Structure formats: structure tokens, C-alpha cells
Amino acid sequence: QAYNCLIHFYKRTMKLTLEFGGGAELLFDKKKKYEVILPTKPEKWTLQLLLFWMRDNLLKERPELFLKDNSVRPGILVLVNDSDWELLGQLEYQLEEGDNVVFISTLHGG
């Protein structure tokens, strides 16, 4: 019985909310909010892995405006559950079920 429970625990998918603002949504099909279900992975989902997943599954155009050197470009503010990701370990932060991750571009053309 416990064995089945353990297998079920490791096979869980993870549901997250992703939000975009300040123009970042223009790169993601002009959608400001996505409810996503991340596939099962043997390792824990981190913000780094989420960025790669977003690049491969959600980013519709001009990835160079969102990503640089395997992270978000300077000028994109990242919040996890309303906390600045810099306080949470940035790319190393381990995502949890139900996390709300917000990307806000502070870069504006003029």
C-alpha cells in the first residue's frame, strides 16, 4: 500500500499560475495569465527549469527579449507569490504546487 502511495507522489504533475505584465505578455501570445500544468520530472522543478519549459512551450516570439544567458533579461522583474525572486534564490528556487509566478517587464521603448 505504501509503495503505491510513494509512486503516486513521485508521478505528480505541478500546477502553477504564470502572469505577465509591462509588455512581457506580448511575447506570450498577448496573454496576461496562464494556468499551466508542468509534467513530471525526476528532479524538482526550479525557476531555471521553468524558464526552459516556458521557452519551449509558451514563448511565441523573440525569445531574446525575454531570456538572456539562461535567465530572464535584465529589466524583467520576477515575483513568486508576491516576493522578489532575488530574495528566494532566483533560478535555484524550487517551485511548489500552486505557486504564482509573475514576470513584469520594466523595459519600455521611447
mmCIF file of all heavy atoms in Angstrom, residues 14-40:
data_model
loop_
_atom_site.group_PDB
_atom_site.id
_atom_site.type_symbol
_atom_site.label_atom_id
_atom_site.label_comp_id
_atom_site.label_asym_id
_atom_site.label_seq_id
_atom_site.Cartn_x
_atom_site.Cartn_y
_atom_site.Cartn_z
ATOM 1 N N MET A 14 2.626 19.329 -11.588
ATOM 2 C CA MET A 14 2.577 20.524 -10.757
ATOM 3 C C MET A 14 1.805 21.622 -11.482
ATOM 4 O O MET A 14 2.099 21.930 -12.626
ATOM 5 C CB MET A 14 3.985 21.011 -10.428
ATOM 6 C CG MET A 14 3.964 22.184 -9.475
ATOM 7 S SD MET A 14 5.597 22.800 -9.066
ATOM 8 C CE MET A 14 6.390 21.353 -8.458
ATOM 9 N N LYS A 15 0.843 22.192 -10.782
ATOM 10 C CA LYS A 15 0.041 23.271 -11.352
ATOM 11 C C LYS A 15 0.564 24.609 -10.843
ATOM 12 O O LYS A 15 0.779 24.786 -9.650
ATOM 13 C CB LYS A 15 -1.423 23.095 -10.968
ATOM 14 C CG LYS A 15 -2.340 24.089 -11.634
ATOM 15 C CD LYS A 15 -3.794 23.805 -11.308
ATOM 16 C CE LYS A 15 -4.685 24.812 -11.996
ATOM 17 N NZ LYS A 15 -6.089 24.616 -11.661
ATOM 18 N N LEU A 16 0.776 25.540 -11.776
ATOM 19 C CA LEU A 16 1.259 26.883 -11.457
ATOM 20 C C LEU A 16 0.423 27.910 -12.197
ATOM 21 O O LEU A 16 -0.174 27.610 -13.224
ATOM 22 C CB LEU A 16 2.708 27.076 -11.922
ATOM 23 C CG LEU A 16 3.801 26.173 -11.414
ATOM 24 C CD1 LEU A 16 5.093 26.492 -12.140
ATOM 25 C CD2 LEU A 16 3.966 26.336 -9.920
ATOM 26 N N THR A 17 0.454 29.133 -11.703
ATOM 27 C CA THR A 17 -0.110 30.264 -12.434
ATOM 28 C C THR A 17 1.057 31.145 -12.865
ATOM 29 O O THR A 17 1.914 31.487 -12.058
ATOM 30 C CB THR A 17 -1.069 31.071 -11.541
ATOM 31 O OG1 THR A 17 -2.113 30.208 -11.092
ATOM 32 C CG2 THR A 17 -1.674 32.226 -12.316
ATOM 33 N N LEU A 18 1.078 31.476 -14.136
ATOM 34 C CA LEU A 18 2.092 32.383 -14.686
ATOM 35 C C LEU A 18 1.382 33.646 -15.152
ATOM 36 O O LEU A 18 0.366 33.575 -15.843
ATOM 37 C CB LEU A 18 2.810 31.743 -15.870
ATOM 38 C CG LEU A 18 3.454 30.371 -15.636
ATOM 39 C CD1 LEU A 18 4.081 29.860 -16.927
ATOM 40 C CD2 LEU A 18 4.478 30.446 -14.531
ATOM 41 N N GLU A 19 1.912 34.798 -14.756
ATOM 42 C CA GLU A 19 1.328 36.065 -15.171
ATOM 43 C C GLU A 19 2.403 36.953 -15.786
ATOM 44 O O GLU A 19 3.567 36.879 -15.395
ATOM 45 C CB GLU A 19 0.686 36.774 -13.979
ATOM 46 C CG GLU A 19 -0.498 36.009 -13.407
ATOM 47 C CD GLU A 19 -1.193 36.785 -12.310
ATOM 48 O OE1 GLU A 19 -1.714 37.878 -12.612
ATOM 49 O OE2 GLU A 19 -1.220 36.302 -11.163
ATOM 50 N N PHE A 20 1.970 37.794 -16.733
ATOM 51 C CA PHE A 20 2.893 38.665 -17.453
ATOM 52 C C PHE A 20 2.341 40.080 -17.490
ATOM 53 O O PHE A 20 1.145 40.287 -17.639
ATOM 54 C CB PHE A 20 3.086 38.163 -18.894
ATOM 55 C CG PHE A 20 3.561 36.743 -18.960
ATOM 56 C CD1 PHE A 20 2.658 35.691 -19.060
ATOM 57 C CD2 PHE A 20 4.913 36.458 -18.882
ATOM 58 C CE1 PHE A 20 3.100 34.382 -19.092
ATOM 59 C CE2 PHE A 20 5.363 35.142 -18.911
ATOM 60 C CZ PHE A 20 4.450 34.108 -19.013
ATOM 61 N N GLY A 21 3.231 41.070 -17.351
ATOM 62 C CA GLY A 21 2.807 42.456 -17.394
ATOM 63 C C GLY A 21 3.905 43.354 -17.906
ATOM 64 O O GLY A 21 5.033 42.919 -18.150
ATOM 65 N N GLY A 22 3.574 44.624 -18.083
ATOM 66 C CA GLY A 22 4.545 45.609 -18.531
ATOM 67 C C GLY A 22 5.018 45.415 -19.955
ATOM 68 O O GLY A 22 6.061 45.938 -20.349
ATOM 69 N N GLY A 23 4.288 44.634 -20.723
ATOM 70 C CA GLY A 23 4.681 44.350 -22.105
ATOM 71 C C GLY A 23 5.227 42.945 -22.293
ATOM 72 O O GLY A 23 5.314 42.455 -23.413
ATOM 73 N N ALA A 24 5.600 42.261 -21.211
ATOM 74 C CA ALA A 24 6.119 40.889 -21.340
ATOM 75 C C ALA A 24 5.086 39.955 -21.964
ATOM 76 O O ALA A 24 5.433 39.005 -22.663
ATOM 77 C CB ALA A 24 6.553 40.354 -19.961
ATOM 78 N N GLU A 25 3.800 40.275 -21.752
ATOM 79 C CA GLU A 25 2.738 39.424 -22.303
ATOM 80 C C GLU A 25 2.744 39.414 -23.830
ATOM 81 O O GLU A 25 2.253 38.465 -24.452
ATOM 82 C CB GLU A 25 1.365 39.860 -21.771
ATOM 83 C CG GLU A 25 0.876 41.203 -22.270
ATOM 84 C CD GLU A 25 1.432 42.407 -21.508
ATOM 85 O OE1 GLU A 25 2.280 42.252 -20.595
ATOM 86 O OE2 GLU A 25 1.016 43.529 -21.829
ATOM 87 N N LEU A 26 3.321 40.438 -24.457
ATOM 88 C CA LEU A 26 3.366 40.493 -25.921
ATOM 89 C C LEU A 26 4.181 39.347 -26.501
ATOM 90 O O LEU A 26 3.960 38.929 -27.641
ATOM 91 C CB LEU A 26 3.940 41.835 -26.382
ATOM 92 C CG LEU A 26 3.141 43.072 -25.952
ATOM 93 C CD1 LEU A 26 3.867 44.336 -26.365
ATOM 94 C CD2 LEU A 26 1.731 43.029 -26.504
ATOM 95 N N LEU A 27 5.113 38.818 -25.719
ATOM 96 C CA LEU A 27 5.946 37.709 -26.175
ATOM 97 C C LEU A 27 5.262 36.360 -25.968
ATOM 98 O O LEU A 27 5.725 35.340 -26.460
ATOM 99 C CB LEU A 27 7.284 37.717 -25.427
ATOM 100 C CG LEU A 27 8.078 39.022 -25.510
ATOM 101 C CD1 LEU A 27 9.281 38.963 -24.597
ATOM 102 C CD2 LEU A 27 8.503 39.300 -26.939
ATOM 103 N N PHE A 28 4.181 36.372 -25.216
ATOM 104 C CA PHE A 28 3.478 35.139 -24.864
ATOM 105 C C PHE A 28 2.058 35.162 -25.412
ATOM 106 O O PHE A 28 1.088 34.980 -24.688
ATOM 107 C CB PHE A 28 3.492 34.946 -23.340
ATOM 108 C CG PHE A 28 4.862 34.624 -22.811
ATOM 109 C CD1 PHE A 28 5.732 35.645 -22.462
ATOM 110 C CD2 PHE A 28 5.295 33.320 -22.709
ATOM 111 C CE1 PHE A 28 7.007 35.367 -21.989
ATOM 112 C CE2 PHE A 28 6.568 33.030 -22.244
ATOM 113 C CZ PHE A 28 7.423 34.052 -21.890
ATOM 114 N N ASP A 29 1.958 35.432 -26.696
ATOM 115 C CA ASP A 29 0.682 35.405 -27.410
ATOM 116 C C ASP A 29 -0.307 36.424 -26.852
ATOM 117 O O ASP A 29 -1.513 36.208 -26.889
ATOM 118 C CB ASP A 29 0.092 33.990 -27.357
ATOM 119 C CG ASP A 29 -0.731 33.662 -28.588
ATOM 120 O OD1 ASP A 29 -0.515 34.310 -29.630
ATOM 121 O OD2 ASP A 29 -1.581 32.768 -28.506
ATOM 122 N N LYS A 30 0.218 37.500 -26.276
ATOM 123 C CA LYS A 30 -0.596 38.602 -25.731
ATOM 124 C C LYS A 30 -1.521 38.153 -24.608
ATOM 125 O O LYS A 30 -2.505 38.819 -24.310
ATOM 126 C CB LYS A 30 -1.390 39.295 -26.838
ATOM 127 C CG LYS A 30 -0.497 39.905 -27.908
ATOM 128 C CD LYS A 30 -1.301 40.681 -28.930
ATOM 129 C CE LYS A 30 -0.404 41.347 -29.940
ATOM 130 N NZ LYS A 30 -0.103 40.545 -31.091
ATOM 131 N N LYS A 31 -1.190 37.024 -23.978
ATOM 132 C CA LYS A 31 -1.978 36.552 -22.840
ATOM 133 C C LYS A 31 -1.294 36.983 -21.553
ATOM 134 O O LYS A 31 -0.102 36.787 -21.384
ATOM 135 C CB LYS A 31 -2.120 35.028 -22.865
ATOM 136 C CG LYS A 31 -3.127 34.544 -23.885
ATOM 137 C CD LYS A 31 -3.287 33.040 -23.864
ATOM 138 C CE LYS A 31 -3.901 32.559 -22.568
ATOM 139 N NZ LYS A 31 -4.161 31.111 -22.580
ATOM 140 N N LYS A 32 -2.073 37.555 -20.638
ATOM 141 C CA LYS A 32 -1.513 38.035 -19.377
ATOM 142 C C LYS A 32 -1.455 36.956 -18.310
ATOM 143 O O LYS A 32 -0.736 37.113 -17.328
ATOM 144 C CB LYS A 32 -2.324 39.222 -18.861
ATOM 145 C CG LYS A 32 -2.104 40.490 -19.664
ATOM 146 C CD LYS A 32 -2.806 41.666 -19.025
ATOM 147 C CE LYS A 32 -2.492 42.946 -19.738
ATOM 148 N NZ LYS A 32 -1.471 43.737 -19.090
ATOM 149 N N LYS A 33 -2.193 35.867 -18.495
ATOM 150 C CA LYS A 33 -2.243 34.846 -17.452
ATOM 151 C C LYS A 33 -2.369 33.456 -18.060
ATOM 152 O O LYS A 33 -3.151 33.251 -18.979
ATOM 153 C CB LYS A 33 -3.441 35.118 -16.532
ATOM 154 C CG LYS A 33 -3.495 34.252 -15.314
ATOM 155 C CD LYS A 33 -4.604 34.748 -14.387
ATOM 156 C CE LYS A 33 -4.608 34.006 -13.078
ATOM 157 N NZ LYS A 33 -5.624 34.528 -12.161
ATOM 158 N N TYR A 34 -1.573 32.542 -17.550
ATOM 159 C CA TYR A 34 -1.629 31.142 -17.945
ATOM 160 C C TYR A 34 -1.754 30.285 -16.694
ATOM 161 O O TYR A 34 -1.048 30.518 -15.707
ATOM 162 C CB TYR A 34 -0.333 30.708 -18.645
ATOM 163 C CG TYR A 34 -0.155 31.197 -20.063
ATOM 164 C CD1 TYR A 34 0.390 32.446 -20.318
ATOM 165 C CD2 TYR A 34 -0.493 30.392 -21.137
ATOM 166 C CE1 TYR A 34 0.577 32.893 -21.623
ATOM 167 C CE2 TYR A 34 -0.310 30.829 -22.440
ATOM 168 C CZ TYR A 34 0.224 32.083 -22.676
ATOM 169 O OH TYR A 34 0.412 32.512 -23.963
ATOM 170 N N GLU A 35 -2.636 29.311 -16.741
ATOM 171 C CA GLU A 35 -2.665 28.255 -15.728
ATOM 172 C C GLU A 35 -1.966 27.075 -16.398
ATOM 173 O O GLU A 35 -2.454 26.570 -17.406
ATOM 174 C CB GLU A 35 -4.106 27.875 -15.370
ATOM 175 C CG GLU A 35 -4.952 29.019 -14.854
ATOM 176 C CD GLU A 35 -4.629 29.410 -13.416
ATOM 177 O OE1 GLU A 35 -4.026 28.593 -12.701
ATOM 178 O OE2 GLU A 35 -4.975 30.530 -13.027
ATOM 179 N N VAL A 36 -0.834 26.669 -15.874
ATOM 180 C CA VAL A 36 -0.072 25.610 -16.528
ATOM 181 C C VAL A 36 0.068 24.402 -15.604
ATOM 182 O O VAL A 36 0.046 24.532 -14.381
ATOM 183 C CB VAL A 36 1.338 26.087 -16.972
ATOM 184 C CG1 VAL A 36 1.223 27.231 -17.956
ATOM 185 C CG2 VAL A 36 2.190 26.490 -15.797
ATOM 186 N N ILE A 37 0.189 23.252 -16.232
ATOM 187 C CA ILE A 37 0.475 22.017 -15.508
ATOM 188 C C ILE A 37 1.796 21.499 -16.043
ATOM 189 O O ILE A 37 1.911 21.157 -17.229
ATOM 190 C CB ILE A 37 -0.646 20.979 -15.690
ATOM 191 C CG1 ILE A 37 -1.950 21.532 -15.105
ATOM 192 C CG2 ILE A 37 -0.252 19.661 -15.033
ATOM 193 C CD1 ILE A 37 -3.150 20.647 -15.304
ATOM 194 N N LEU A 38 2.798 21.510 -15.176
ATOM 195 C CA LEU A 38 4.132 21.067 -15.583
ATOM 196 C C LEU A 38 4.200 19.548 -15.523
ATOM 197 O O LEU A 38 3.651 18.934 -14.606
ATOM 198 C CB LEU A 38 5.192 21.671 -14.666
ATOM 199 C CG LEU A 38 5.257 23.196 -14.658
ATOM 200 C CD1 LEU A 38 6.290 23.664 -13.644
ATOM 201 C CD2 LEU A 38 5.584 23.733 -16.031
ATOM 202 N N PRO A 39 4.881 18.934 -16.491
ATOM 203 C CA PRO A 39 4.987 17.475 -16.492
ATOM 204 C C PRO A 39 5.866 16.962 -15.352
ATOM 205 O O PRO A 39 6.642 17.708 -14.758
ATOM 206 C CB PRO A 39 5.628 17.176 -17.851
ATOM 207 C CG PRO A 39 6.332 18.432 -18.228
ATOM 208 C CD PRO A 39 5.563 19.559 -17.610
ATOM 209 N N THR A 40 5.723 15.688 -15.082
ATOM 210 C CA THR A 40 6.515 15.038 -14.050
ATOM 211 C C THR A 40 7.985 15.053 -14.437
ATOM 212 O O THR A 40 8.335 14.852 -15.597
ATOM 213 C CB THR A 40 6.050 13.569 -13.903
ATOM 214 O OG1 THR A 40 4.654 13.589 -13.651
ATOM 215 C CG2 THR A 40 6.762 12.874 -12.778
#
